[in-house]
Amino acid sequence: MDTSFEEAGAAASGPEPTDPPAADAPTRAVAADAVVTDATAADTVAGETPALVAVPSPSAAPDAVAAPIPSPTEAAEAAGPIELTETGAAAASTGATAAIRSAAPVPRPAAAPTSLSPSRAGDFMQCPLLYRFRVIDRLPEKPSEAATRGTLVHAVLERLFDAPAGERTAPRARALVPGQWDRLRESRPELAELFADDPDGQRLARWLGEAERLVERWFTLEDPTRLEPAERELFVEAELESGPRLRGIIDRVDVAPTGEVRIVDYKTGKAPRPEYAEGALFQMKFYALVVWRLKGVVPRRLQLVYLGSGEVRTYDPVLADLERVERRLRALWDAIREATESGDWRPRPTKLCGWCDHQAHCPEFGGTPPPYPLPVRVRESGAVAQGRMGAD
């Protein structure tokens, strides 16, 4: 096993299968340029080299099928990236973080999409209509216990690194769970409905216990006393030439003394079977692509930590991997732009439909989508597409 990250205080333990996966994240403002070396990005937009940016953001719902809580990337897109200077970083990590965490979602007028995150790319690939409901219509979704538990665990693991290395113990991490849950409820009042039908608190106690067990399991997979992350919950953004603006939040970035970069992502679910591993790996390659486009550095390792099954999976990308992902994203963006202009967002039924919050609006379940809120392109025949779901 490569020990360069361990020498940097970034120990990685656990199995290293050849079939990998990916994830989402929670909350922290970080300094902009510490993530990798000072290498210039391979491509620039309008003659300018993009810079890493950091955004304070609410904790995310990492493993939900139909994420009921807006992801950190969505929250960051709503707020806009915050460029951090040396003097501004401290303020952003305190006042700005608290402000964004506690702010209620502000309704925004419908607009054509301008950026792409791993989760939204996954939505479109899963079901174009789901993408429309989340990005164009911005339909509300109910919070779920699984998604919120993931948010809570992410927040605890992020907070643990505030303590000195020797104090990063499992008991300390467990002790953080109740306080982080209180903070999460304060910032997200809608989460109160999760346990509204639990007057004696027994279901809540079991739920918190599950979160504590997931946190404890992490200590069997990595040793936080030997980890000094270069970045935590890092918001990154890069714009492809004649393509979308790519945005995402990386759970953790480790940098070895030699400058090699490891991107780490936590998952509170179980590791997928090999035939389903590509979806998670796509997300990690997405992050690697953004880092490469920003800094001209191909990350040495992509690492997924599955707390649900107690597994660590890794993948060492090469430049060809990132170039393939970029081509895929360009093609995906072309399809999104075509659907946006035509108003033709078609459902793609799968087994995941059973978990979708939008069945009442989906033609596959007898529902009707809301009126399409964007202008549509007039077809050559003179007919206008109005968000039709069926075949022409």
Side-chain angles (χ1 to χ4, degrees), residues 314-358:
T314 65
Y315 183 83
D316 295 342
V318 296
L319 182 57
D321 289 322
L322 307 188
E323 291 173 337
R324 281 192 294 270
V325 170
E326 183 168 327
R327 289 193 296 270
R328 185 178 180 183
L329 289 172
R330 289 182 188 278
L332 188 68
W333 188 246
D334 287 343
I336 290 173
R337 288 194 300 184
E338 170 61 28
T340 302
E341 293 172 3
S342 68
D344 193 0
W345 301 88
R346 299 171 187 244
R348 182 176 296 139
T350 68
K351 293 180 180 179
L352 299 178
C353 292
W355 284 274
C356 184
D357 275 353
H358 307 303

Side-chain angles (χ1 to χ4, degrees), residues 253-322:
V253 178
D254 301 328
V255 179
T258 56
E260 293 177 311
V261 174
R262 178 172 65 185
I263 296 176
V264 181
D265 197 85
Y266 308 122
K267 289 289 193 185
T268 51
K270 296 181 179 180
R273 297 198 299 269
E275 60 268 32
Y276 299 114
E278 180 55 35
L281 182 57
F282 170 78
Q283 184 176 9
M284 296 298 280
K285 289 180 179 179
F286 184 109
Y287 294 144
L289 169 63
V290 175
V291 170
W292 173 53
R293 280 304 183 192
L294 287 171
K295 293 296 180 180
V297 174
V298 176
R300 171 69 176 82
R301 174 155 293 179
L302 309 178
Q303 179 166 307
L304 289 117
V305 182
Y306 284 96
L307 302 176
S309 53
E311 297 179 51
V312 173
R313 295 187 178 182
T314 65
Y315 183 83
D316 295 342
V318 296
L319 182 57
D321 289 322
L322 307 188

Side-chain angles (χ1 to χ4, degrees), residues 194-274:
L194 281 174
F195 301 101
D197 59 348
D198 181 37
D200 57 5
Q202 291 187 9
R203 191 158 55 85
L204 173 59
R206 286 195 300 270
W207 183 82
L208 289 172
E210 291 166 358
E212 291 174 354
R213 284 189 289 275
L214 290 171
V215 168
E216 282 190 317
R217 186 169 293 153
W218 178 57
F219 287 82
T220 69
L221 304 173
E222 297 190 288
D223 181 359
T225 66
R226 301 182 65 191
L227 286 166
E228 290 300 338
E231 304 290 354
R232 291 175 273 157
E233 306 310 325
L234 178 70
F235 179 88
V236 290
E237 179 181 64
E239 188 163 356
L240 301 181
E241 186 177 355
S242 67
R245 187 166 68 250
L246 305 181
R247 317 183 98 173
I249 292 183
I250 302 173
D251 283 356
R252 197 179 85 218
V253 178
D254 301 328
V255 179
T258 56
E260 293 177 311
V261 174
R262 178 172 65 185
I263 296 176
V264 181
D265 197 85
Y266 308 122
K267 289 289 193 185
T268 51
K270 296 181 179 180
R273 297 198 299 269

Side-chain angles (χ1 to χ4, degrees), residues 78-139:
I82 299 174
E83 300 273 2
L84 295 186
T85 63
E86 288 186 15
T87 56
S93 65
T94 53
T97 301
I100 290 182
R101 279 180 179 163
S102 61
V106 178
R108 292 174 292 154
T114 59
S115 63
L116 196 60
S117 68
S119 55
R120 297 294 77 85
D123 286 346
F124 189 84
M125 291 186 288
Q126 176 185 324
C127 174
L129 184 58
L130 175 63
Y131 178 96
R132 177 200 149 169
F133 287 159
R134 286 179 168 169
V135 177
I136 306 294
D137 299 297
R138 301 191 182 105
L139 298 182

Side-chain angles (χ1 to χ4, degrees), residues 342-391:
S342 68
D344 193 0
W345 301 88
R346 299 171 187 244
R348 182 176 296 139
T350 68
K351 293 180 180 179
L352 299 178
C353 292
W355 284 274
C356 184
D357 275 353
H358 307 303
Q359 294 179 11
H361 297 287
C362 180
E364 293 294 323
F365 292 87
T368 302
Y372 193 54
L374 299 178
V376 294
R377 182 182 62 229
V378 178
R379 297 180 178 178
E380 292 182 4
S381 63
V384 177
Q386 294 291 347
R388 294 166 58 189
M389 296 299 124

